[in-house]
Amino acid sequence: MNISNDENGIREAINYYAEGMRTGNVEVMRQAFHQQAILCGYLGDEMIAAPIEGLFDWVSSNPAPATTGEAFECEVLSLEITGRVASGKVRETHDGAVIDYFHLLKHGDRWSIVSKLWDTE
């Protein structure tokens, strides 16, 4: 297994997520996720748990940082790879800071996010 190719594939999936969040483009964001992905996390004190379509709905119904002029950053803090599964810790900054934990799965040559877990930093 070539770790650098795997790392590049994982970063590509995370970059699709980040670009979709930055621009509000759900079609770009869909490229990051497995179709059966889930999300769990907190918005303030409210816990959110839903299929990934919940994130897509939220992104499409809220103004994107690219349209509001709001600063947006998505920094990979760490990656761990074990064969065909991986996890990534990411700091997402816009309207506050959030730490995302992404779990990813490799199917064929493609890495996809299967879960997004987050809370405010």
Side-chain angles (χ1 to χ4, degrees):
M1 177 170 290
N2 186 331
I3 295 297
S4 67
N5 282 342
D6 286 330
E7 184 174 329
N8 288 338
I10 292 164
R11 288 180 182 277
E12 178 181 50
I14 293 170
N15 286 339
Y16 281 130
Y17 166 80
E19 185 62 10
M21 287 295 289
R22 187 185 72 76
T23 63
N25 187 328
V26 172
E27 293 312 308
V28 168
M29 184 177 281
R30 282 184 191 280
Q31 295 178 66
F33 289 93
H34 186 277
Q35 65 186 7
Q36 293 177 322
I38 60 169
L39 60 100
C40 293
Y42 288 93
L43 290 176
D45 290 333
E46 180 185 2
M47 190 196 71
I48 307 294
I52 200 59
E53 288 296 326
L55 177 62
F56 301 151
D57 292 345
W58 184 87
V59 167
S60 65
S61 65
N62 286 281
T67 61
T68 64
E70 180 184 355
F72 178 86
E73 287 186 39
C74 197
E75 175 190 6
V76 175
L77 301 176
S78 65
L79 295 176
E80 289 189 32
I81 305 167
T82 304
R84 294 167 290 182
V85 298
S87 64
K89 181 178 178 181
V90 173
R91 176 179 288 119
E92 190 177 331
T93 309
H94 66 99
D95 191 31
V98 170
I99 297 294
D100 293 315
Y101 293 91
F102 292 116
H103 294 106
L104 300 97
L105 180 74
K106 185 176 185 181
H107 187 271
D109 291 336
R110 183 171 170 82
W111 285 91
S112 298
I113 300 169
V114 295
S115 71
K116 170 184 164 54
L117 181 68
W118 80 95
D119 201 354
T120 55
E121 188 171 36

